Amino acid sequence: MKRKEFYLLFITACTTLMASAQDARKSPQAIAEQKIYNHLKAGDVTITEKRMELLNGIPSCTFDIAVRTTGMYTLQVLAPIEAGRQVTVDMDGRSNGTLVKNSDGWQLTKANFKATGQQVLLTAGKHQLHFGSSSNQYPNIDQVSLTTSGSDATLERHWENLNAQLQRMAAMKPASNIPAKKMNEAAGGANKVLANPEGTYSHQLEESFAFTTFVWYYFTAGTTVTFETTGSTVDPVLHLFNPYNTNAGSWFQDDYSGWESRLSVNITATGSYCLVARPYTSGANGTSNIYKDGVLTNAAAPIGGTLHYNTSTNTGDLNFFTCRFTGNAAADTRLFTLPANAGAFSGYNDDYSTAGDYVWGKQSRIKKNFANRQLYTFVCAYNTGTTGTADTYMACLNSDIVYAFANLKADDAIAAAPSSGTYNCISWSGGVTTSWNWPPDQYNVYYLPGNPLGSFDRFYSNTPVKRYSGAANYTRTGATSINAVVDLWAYNGGYTHASVRKPGNSHPHGYDWESKPGGLTRTFHPRNGLNGAAPAYYGDVVGYYIPTGSFAARASGNGAISTDKEAIDAGYDVADKAALSPEANTKLQQLNNRVSGTVNNMFNKLYDAWQATWKASAIQSDPQRYYQNAEGEALLKYCRENRSEVLPLVFSRYLQGNAICNYLLSELTMEQYGKLLDEVKNEYLANQYDRQGRYIVNSAYCNGIRHIEKILRDTKAAPVTPPAPVDLFTVQVAPNPVKDAFNIQLDIKQTSTITIQLINTQTGATKSVKKATAMLAGTYNFATDIRNMNFVPGSLLTVKITVNGTSRTYKVITTE
């Protein structure tokens, strides 16, 4: 074998073995927990990954590190170490050593390497730092640092603060941190909850997440293990669970002796398990001594974290997640679900690995099918250095809008509120839930002729009228993709959609952005998750709005108002209402009665066919886009050709609550009755408050009803032009004479009901060429075969054509 071929074979074999080893290492039996870092600074080196893993059957904690400069390094470690338990240190399979134990419990310590003492030679490049355990407990390593100077001032300051905090927590008297009674199950750790109109989920925002004791163990089947707490300064609850299968392996115990807990478990399946000690009362902080099988394993173990009560009753496929961290750059959460405060963990996640486009990073997410309601979530920090605040969302359903957006991944689509035809994306982005808004629609009070973007500007800035009392003012001035709270979407210059994110209108809005796509389910999604070619999708984000910090005026009160419904419920506003007067209703009935049966049937047929397409167009908010299909175009064409007769039929359909008819209504009325709509808007502008001084939240749909009222009162609306009795159609028959077949060409001037019949004048035999059928205006050809008419050559056949009740006959001579 040639040398080159040997090297290629050797490299291929090594690559295969490495890949196999990596695959094996990443199995749940080999890796208990894996955390990827984006080059986390640790003294003079960076950490790229941390793993809890089994190495040669020994529970180990491994750090992948990157060294920039070759030199002698000192290893400092922040971790709890107890008497009788040794933690070994291994660097790249060499320089074996141990951690120096200073005392029981949490400590900042250094490593002693057998060959080089407290320093170890590291060359520039990648290295692996392994900590091994002398027991079945994984080394509980919180933070590490490698420095050439011998100390890390940042880590030492952190330890000083943590030590002082632990001392305060340990010195607390139990009675000062333990309630006289167990708290009410529904109390939870609530702090900040925003208005969530129509929302189907529960949330707690900007809650702190403190560190609590979290320890990994490796147990073999048949093992019986007992954990207990003593000397607790907080009411502790002990949990042991299998994070990969909480359904089959999750246990807890509370109040075994007084406030102390004692948990005994018989392990039925070999694997990695987690021990968690948390406070029963949300937000309580303290310490506890934790023993395993009578041996102290965690002295003065910190106990903290936040318990959130879930108000949603959702079950089934649900999402619980944390997001929008504040605090230091390393802010990181662990998330748990529980069916009750005193209950076993039913779900767990540290860093969510997504199948979608959104990068969750250190945010946590539990996506699971829950047969029962999960009353609580528990949130804590990943380690002592990752404190901060987070938003927590609970019991969110999966969204059902993925079918409508080719670029939206199912894992990214989380439902926020049910589908609704009452309000749309523009309404929701402006805090409106009682009406459908499309500012460039002529019936909208924010409409600027020939200026769609200006129409949106007026809507968001509460100009010339406010969306509702207390509505936030938004502007495009100074808005960028970075600071935007509202995104405006367009495709080929035509606006299509708007999405919103926190803090828009003082609503939660989920992990990234939220949309109410037309009449579909309100959904959390990544910023660009709804992009793509229109009309099926929304194109791209083309404009941005930010809050000005000011709000539309209201009558009184200082509390935030987040929706028009909230303003209405508070009594500041009233919902817009409109209905036809009795006189207008009578006139509309009279006009409808005068519409011919043919026109009535054809209109209803076309309208019903178009209405059947609404579901397919349901992502749209612009009423005009609902007509961009064959059925919509056919309806528009027919209505334009028969404007005066169909107008009362359109009015009646509109009054059934079909705001999507706005565009059809405007197409048929603006040329003749546009000034009447101007009157409607001017009357509202002059009378924006009711007699009690409450602001009337204007509705484009109600403006349409008022417009219809004015049209019906106008004398020009009453006459209906009857169909012309002549020249309704023309007919050509060829060839004539005819032997076997001939063609009937029929040209009709307007939509009509057509009947065509062939009659043998000698025998009286008849043949139906076209049964009574409603047909649009146009030219039609009917090929007619006469071979089964039993005629004698030279006889006459009669073609009888009836159009809207008017009949004409045409003679055809037969030949051999």
Side-chain angles (χ1 to χ4, degrees), residues 384-635:
T384 61
T386 59
T387 57
T389 68
D391 294 349
T392 301
Y393 288 76
M394 296 167 277
C396 302
L397 298 165
N398 293 326
S399 177
D400 59 359
I401 71 168
V402 177
Y403 77 92
F405 298 93
N407 295 325
L408 179 63
K409 303 295 191 304
D411 199 50
D412 289 330
I414 299 178
S419 59
S420 170
T422 301
Y423 69 110
N424 61 339
C425 64
I426 304 301
S427 296
W428 177 240
S429 66
V432 176
T433 62
T434 64
S435 63
W436 192 285
N437 273 282
W438 189 254
D441 173 9
Q442 295 187 67
Y443 284 97
N444 198 289
V445 72
Y446 303 101
Y447 170 71
L448 273 179
N451 191 350
L453 183 57
S455 301
F456 285 109
D457 289 346
R458 283 157 60 104
F459 173 79
Y460 289 117
S461 65
N462 293 301
T463 306
V465 299
K466 50 193 175 184
R467 302 190 301 277
Y468 54 90
S469 297
N473 293 315
Y474 294 93
T475 180
R476 285 189 293 117
T477 302
T480 68
S481 62
I482 304 300
N483 63 9
V485 170
V486 174
D487 275 355
L488 187 63
W489 298 61
Y491 181 75
N492 280 349
Y495 295 101
T496 56
H497 179 65
S499 47
V500 61
R501 67 174 171 179
K502 184 185 176 185
N505 308 302
S506 297
H507 296 146
H509 297 310
Y511 65 86
D512 198 11
W513 288 78
E514 184 181 11
S515 287
K516 173 62 174 63
L520 299 183
T521 300
R522 215 170 76 206
T523 299
F524 302 145
H525 60 85
R527 182 174 207 160
N528 297 311
L530 310 184
N531 66 350
Y537 318 117
Y538 293 141
D540 297 290
V541 176
V542 297
Y544 311 103
Y545 290 89
I546 56 174
T548 64
S550 62
F551 301 86
R554 66 181 187 187
S556 62
N558 296 318
I561 296 294
S562 65
T563 66
D564 59 334
K565 186 177 186 304
E566 193 174 339
I568 291 168
D569 291 343
Y572 303 131
D573 298 354
V574 292
D576 198 2
K577 295 181 180 179
L580 291 188
S581 65
E583 296 80 8
N585 257 318
T586 300
K587 191 168 189 178
L588 180 58
Q589 292 175 10
Q590 293 172 347
L591 291 173
N592 274 310
N593 291 337
R594 294 175 58 187
V595 177
S596 70
T598 299
V599 171
N600 188 73
N601 291 339
M602 177 55 71
F603 172 81
N604 288 327
K605 176 182 177 181
L606 293 172
Y607 189 96
D608 290 342
W610 171 64
Q611 191 171 32
T613 68
W614 289 6
K615 183 177 181 180
S617 302
I619 71 168
Q620 306 297 344
S621 285
D622 179 358
Q624 184 174 351
R625 292 185 180 273
Y626 282 77
Y627 299 83
Q628 294 177 354
N629 51 52
E631 292 80 2
E633 290 173 357
L635 175 65

Side-chain angles (χ1 to χ4, degrees), residues 103-399:
S103 60
D104 284 343
W106 280 87
Q107 55 201 275
L108 181 63
T109 185
K110 293 183 179 181
N112 262 337
F113 296 100
K114 291 180 179 178
T116 57
Q118 288 193 343
Q119 286 191 314
V120 61
L121 176 63
L122 294 179
T123 57
K126 297 179 180 179
H127 298 270
Q128 284 193 339
L129 173 62
H130 302 286
F131 296 90
S133 176
S134 60
S135 67
N136 54 3
Q137 177 180 326
Y138 288 86
N140 192 10
I141 308 300
D142 186 76
Q143 294 184 47
V144 299
S145 178
L146 284 155
T147 58
T148 56
S149 65
S151 65
D152 182 343
T154 300
L155 183 58
E156 289 171 358
R157 283 195 301 271
H158 174 72
W159 161 239
E160 290 173 1
N161 294 333
L162 173 61
N163 187 42
Q165 181 184 5
L166 289 172
Q167 289 178 1
R168 288 194 301 270
M169 293 164 65
M172 294 180 65
K173 296 180 180 180
S176 67
N177 208 25
I178 298 175
K181 287 184 177 183
K182 289 288 190 183
M183 70 176 200
N184 185 291
E185 280 285 297
N191 198 6
K192 185 172 183 180
V193 177
L194 296 181
N196 184 24
E198 312 292 328
T200 54
Y201 60 91
S202 179
H203 69 279
Q204 297 282 349
L205 304 183
E206 299 166 22
E207 283 283 338
S208 61
F209 50 93
F211 178 73
T212 202
T213 297
F214 186 103
V215 185
W216 284 89
Y217 285 89
Y218 185 80
F219 294 124
T220 56
T223 300
T224 298
V225 60
T226 300
F227 296 95
E228 59 185 320
T229 64
T230 66
S232 301
T233 64
V234 66
D235 182 4
V237 182
L238 287 178
H239 292 265
L240 186 69
F241 72 105
N242 179 347
Y244 297 101
N245 190 355
T246 53
N247 293 338
S250 186
W251 307 269
F252 84 102
Q253 206 283 321
D254 178 43
D255 297 349
Y256 172 77
S257 175
W259 300 112
E260 304 292 359
S261 299
R262 186 174 188 270
L263 174 63
S264 290
V265 175
N266 180 31
I267 304 297
T268 57
T270 298
S272 296
Y273 294 80
C274 299
L275 176 74
V276 177
R278 68 168 179 90
Y280 183 91
T281 303
S282 178
N285 289 279
T287 61
S288 182
N289 298 315
I290 301 175
Y291 290 77
K292 172 183 171 290
D293 298 329
V295 177
L296 180 65
T297 57
N298 297 81
I303 298 179
T306 306
L307 198 68
H308 298 304
Y309 180 70
N310 170 30
T311 59
S312 170
T313 59
N314 290 339
T315 57
D317 292 326
L318 300 178
N319 298 270
F320 296 76
F321 57 87
T322 61
C323 61
R324 301 185 184 277
F325 294 167
T326 63
N328 57 42
D332 194 349
T333 59
R334 297 186 190 271
L335 176 67
F336 309 79
T337 56
L338 307 87
N341 190 359
F345 291 147
S346 54
Y348 165 75
N349 181 255
D350 171 24
D351 299 335
Y352 184 69
S353 298
T354 183
D357 293 329
Y358 181 73
V359 179
W360 287 86
K362 295 172 186 175
Q363 300 169 126
S364 304
R365 177 181 173 187
I366 299 169
K367 185 177 183 180
K368 183 178 176 180
N369 184 279
F370 293 93
N372 302 311
R373 179 182 174 189
Q374 301 300 300
L375 283 172
Y376 288 91
T377 62
F378 176 66
V379 180
C380 65
Y382 176 79
N383 60 31
T384 61
T386 59
T387 57
T389 68
D391 294 349
T392 301
Y393 288 76
M394 296 167 277
C396 302
L397 298 165
N398 293 326
S399 177

Side-chain angles (χ1 to χ4, degrees), residues 86-100:
Q86 186 181 67
V87 178
T88 62
V89 182
D90 174 273
M91 184 73 74
D92 298 328
R94 59 180 175 79
S95 304
N96 291 333
T98 59
L99 288 184
V100 178

